[in-house]
Amino acid sequence: MFTAALTSGLVLGGMYALIAMGLTLQYGVARIMNLAHGELMIAAAFAALWLFTSAAVNPLLGLLIIVPAAFAISGTIYRLLLTPLVRRAPNRDALEVDSILATFGMLFVIQGIMLVMFGGAYFSYSFLAFPVTIAGATVAANRLLALAFAAVIGLALYLYLTRTRLGTAVRAVAVDPQSAPLVAIDVRATAALAFAFGGALVAAAGVLVSMFLTFNANIGVVFTMKALIVVIMGGVGNLLGCLVAGLILGLAETFVATFVDPGLTLATTYALFLIILLVRPQGLFGTASR
Amino acid sequence: MLEVSNISVAYGKHLAVDSIGLRVAPGEIALILGANGSGKTSLLKAIAGMQPATGASVRLAGRELAGLPAHTIVEAGLALVPEGRGVFGELTVRENLELGAFAKRARPAEAKNLRHVLELFPRLGERLAQQVRTMSGGEQQMVAVGRALMSAPEILLLDEPSLGLSPLMCKELFAALARIRDKGLGILLVEQNAKRSLAIADRGYLIANGRIVGDGSAASLRDDPAVQRAYLGAAEPGRAMPPPDGA
Ligand SMILES: Nc1ncnc2c1ncn2[C@@H]1O[C@H](COP(=O)(O)OP(=O)(O)OP(=O)(O)O)[C@@H](O)[C@H]1O
Ligand SMILES: [Mg+2]
């Protein structure tokens, strides 16, 4: 039972980490606190469901369609809806407040569209649901696959941001947007790129989650909340912090649900969050740029 | 050749830069001397596109740059080392220099420019993996100048690079600026350290209340009694004159 909880916890934590990385990229670089983040994730989950059930496209192929689409859609949202806010904001703090209001509205629009299309019922589909035995515990193959994909995507993002010049430019905008133009960085274009990347990440998480969790049109906000907690726990703008905090949260929730009481998972989440806020308000690793 | 004419900067009603014109030729250091608050920083920021200006013409090699966003101006060959350096403190020296060459114009000669910068500031070569935030002020200033040079500029603008540097560091930095000039770059230098900067400059402008109130060769400025009084701390015969604030 311990190993089973451990693997489930890692899988869940990996998903949290991926979702939070998307949010921290959008917030850290573009200064958009995107409250509709979880909605995009659930939209991606529905897209994967639809592709699988009506077009027999398996979700891993679905990633190849849905992730680029989410990148394009997020980029468009930034250009059409958020650029006017960016232009108008006298400083980045004002932009933060405006973006919270705007994306809060967006949350209900996307959720409303999904409710009209799918209603409030829970959905799931069965893809690679056969059990696999590792270290004495049985886990569904789709969960292991989701964890592997999350690890690969997270690692690729980390390498991109730390090992390439464009990635370094993205970090430069995160740490010092005033100075970035001095080295020919177009801050607005970089922010749009980071926002689009954040959307692509959360859509990838949505597709992966849809392989093993049941979901409905209302559930996005739960993931936004958890992503926020992970981002703050790990330190704003800190990708490695997201990874560690995401895994901690996933493991804590699963262990409490398995060994104490499933009803206490949400309480665990907030207890962890409170402890970190009290003990290390800057997050586990501070707001470093890596 | 950088040719600026009729550039003005206003903060609300306050005119910080009032129709200034100046030019910087390749291979020369043009110096701007002025008291605190006379508009030097505003002027450099306006030329570099970091601050909105009105009525200006800023021509670099015949191309009009006024009104372009700052990142495009770097791409055109004009780099600013701002007041307070503007380095990316969270990133390493190597990453800062790498970002210096973010401009497309800088890519072809990147390796050569990096060699040049490390030759100019050998200390940076030993510290490539250090986070810039943890370096001394003088070392950070070297990163700032090195980063600007990595963008392969034709014209380099520097806003009080010697601020907060020890005399030794200051000497080292000014020697480096002279070598950069000798490679053919045009430098527009804003300084409070009039003595040292007049020693390496070719020409200079005096600025007060946002206007140019005098200009001439570095030698003629050095010998100008008004300059000596205001910036070099010389006393007028007969009565002692304190230098104006901060000079
Ligand atoms: N952002 C701003 N808003 C309002 N006024 C400003 C702003 N920046 C500068 N000023 C004013 O414009 C004038 C010129 O300032 P500026 O910084 O250009 O002077 P400076 O010559 O660089 O001074 P210093 O030698 O102290 O660096 C000052 O009176 C200053 O108070
Ligand atoms: Mg100044």
Side-chain angles (χ1 to χ4, degrees):
Chain A
M1 195 145 100
F2 178 81
T3 340
L6 186 69
T7 30
S8 302
L10 284 177
V11 173
L12 192 61
M15 299 302 121
Y16 289 161
L18 207 54
I19 301 164
M21 279 179 184
L23 191 68
T24 211
L25 206 55
Q26 293 186 335
Y27 180 70
V29 182
R31 272 292 176 277
I32 303 287
M33 180 39 81
N34 184 6
L35 294 186
H37 196 56
E39 268 52 45
L40 190 62
M41 175 194 161
I42 297 304
F46 273 117
L49 171 86
W50 184 82
L51 281 174
F52 185 70
T53 51
S54 11
V57 177
N58 92 43
L60 299 179
L61 278 181
L63 276 177
L64 293 181
I65 304 165
I66 294 167
V67 170
F71 184 89
I73 291 170
S74 294
T76 309
I77 288 176
Y78 187 86
R79 277 189 199 285
L80 296 185
L81 296 176
L82 301 174
T83 306
L85 302 185
V86 177
R87 286 230 172 84
R88 191 181 75 187
N91 56 52
R92 284 168 74 92
D93 291 338
L95 175 60
E96 217 173 301
V97 175
D98 285 357
S99 74
I100 288 175
L101 296 175
T103 58
F104 193 52
M106 213 155 74
L107 181 168
F108 291 108
V109 173
I110 302 177
Q111 198 181 71
I113 294 173
M114 290 194 295
L115 277 171
V116 169
M117 288 174 70
F118 301 98
Y122 278 86
F123 288 83
S124 67
Y125 59 95
S126 178
F127 170 72
L128 296 183
F130 59 85
V132 180
T133 312
I134 44 163
T138 43
V139 199
N142 52 29
R143 286 186 186 245
L144 288 180
L145 202 64
L147 181 60
F149 266 76
V152 169
I153 294 170
L155 185 70
L157 178 71
Y158 180 74
L159 291 178
Y160 169 75
L161 286 178
T162 53
R163 301 281 192 277
T164 71
R165 196 192 315 255
L166 199 55
T168 308
V170 169
R171 284 187 293 139
V173 172
V175 295
D176 193 348
Q178 274 81 37
S179 297
L182 293 172
V183 294
I185 295 173
D186 183 342
V187 172
R188 231 175 256 168
T190 310
L193 180 77
F195 191 83
F197 257 116
L201 278 173
V202 81
V207 175
L208 295 177
V209 162
S210 77
M211 299 195 308
F212 64 90
L213 278 189
T214 56
F215 53 92
N216 76 354
N218 290 320
I219 208 171
V221 65
V222 174
F223 287 96
T224 307
M225 278 310 302
K226 289 189 180 167
L228 266 175
I229 290 172
V230 169
V231 166
I232 294 166
M233 264 169 70
V236 175
N238 189 326
L239 287 183
L240 288 184
C242 276
L243 178 66
V244 176
L247 290 179
I248 291 177
L249 189 65
L251 286 169
E253 284 188 3
T254 314
F255 274 92
V256 168
T258 314
F259 297 108
V260 189
D261 187 325
L264 287 180
T265 35
L266 213 55
T268 315
T269 308
Y270 290 108
L272 254 179
F273 182 47
L274 270 180
I275 292 169
I276 301 241
L277 272 189
L278 290 174
V279 181
R280 274 187 73 84
Q282 73 276 40
L284 290 174
F285 306 95
T287 57
S289 57
R290 328 217 135 219
Chain B
M1 170 79 86
L2 172 74
E3 290 166 291
V4 178
S5 58
N6 198 32
I7 197 165
S8 298
V9 176
Y11 300 105
K13 282 203 185 97
H14 176 63
L15 203 56
V17 175
D18 187 359
S19 339
I20 281 184
L22 54 81
R23 59 189 180 78
V24 184
E28 74 164 357
I29 296 180
L31 176 67
I32 296 180
L33 288 174
N36 289 118
S38 55
K40 307 179 297 292
T41 297
S42 307
L43 171 66
L44 290 200
K45 279 166 96 173
I47 294 173
M50 302 285 285
Q51 173 74 50
T54 47
S57 162
V58 176
R59 299 180 80 81
L60 178 59
R63 181 173 167 210
E64 183 57 59
L65 300 183
L68 293 181
H71 62 90
T72 318
I73 290 180
V74 182
E75 200 67 76
L78 189 144
L80 168 67
V81 177
E83 197 170 45
R85 307 182 190 109
V87 288
F88 301 113
E90 306 296 320
L91 306 186
T92 63
V93 173
R94 184 191 295 282
E95 287 170 335
N96 269 272
L97 296 179
E98 199 179 295
L99 282 179
F102 189 78
K104 284 182 202 72
R105 67 174 283 123
R107 301 293 171 84
E110 184 176 356
K112 193 184 107 221
N113 287 334
L114 181 62
R115 241 179 300 125
H116 175 210
V117 166
L118 296 184
E119 217 174 83
L120 214 50
F121 304 115
R123 206 179 304 232
L124 295 187
E126 303 155 14
R127 307 289 184 89
L128 282 174
Q130 189 172 349
Q131 207 181 27
V132 170
R133 186 165 50 79
T134 65
M135 303 178 94
S136 80
E139 290 163 352
Q140 292 192 21
Q141 192 60 255
M142 292 174 183
V143 174
V145 176
R147 189 184 70 178
L149 288 176
M150 288 300 292
S151 72
E154 286 168 38
I155 299 288
L156 186 61
L157 312 185
L158 297 130
D159 196 347
E160 297 197 33
S162 76
L163 197 71
L165 265 55
S166 71
L168 200 67
M169 272 284 191
C170 190
K171 199 172 149 199
E172 210 174 305
L173 180 74
F174 277 43
L177 294 184
R179 286 177 64 191
I180 294 167
R181 179 249 330 261
D182 296 342
K183 292 231 172 191
L185 260 76
I187 296 180
L188 183 59
L189 174 66
V190 161
E191 259 303 334
Q192 299 272 4
N193 189 333
K195 195 166 172 189
R196 262 217 164 83
S197 53
L198 275 171
I200 62 159
D202 300 286
R203 293 186 302 113
Y205 298 93
L206 306 178
I207 159 171
N209 297 320
R211 290 164 184 272
I212 289 193
V213 293
D215 69 299
S217 71
S220 70
L221 290 176
R222 263 194 306 269
D223 297 336
D224 184 334
V227 173
Q228 290 185 347
R229 238 181 4 253
Y231 304 106
L232 297 172
E236 245 187 322
R239 61 193 166 104
M241 268 274 284
D245 269 357

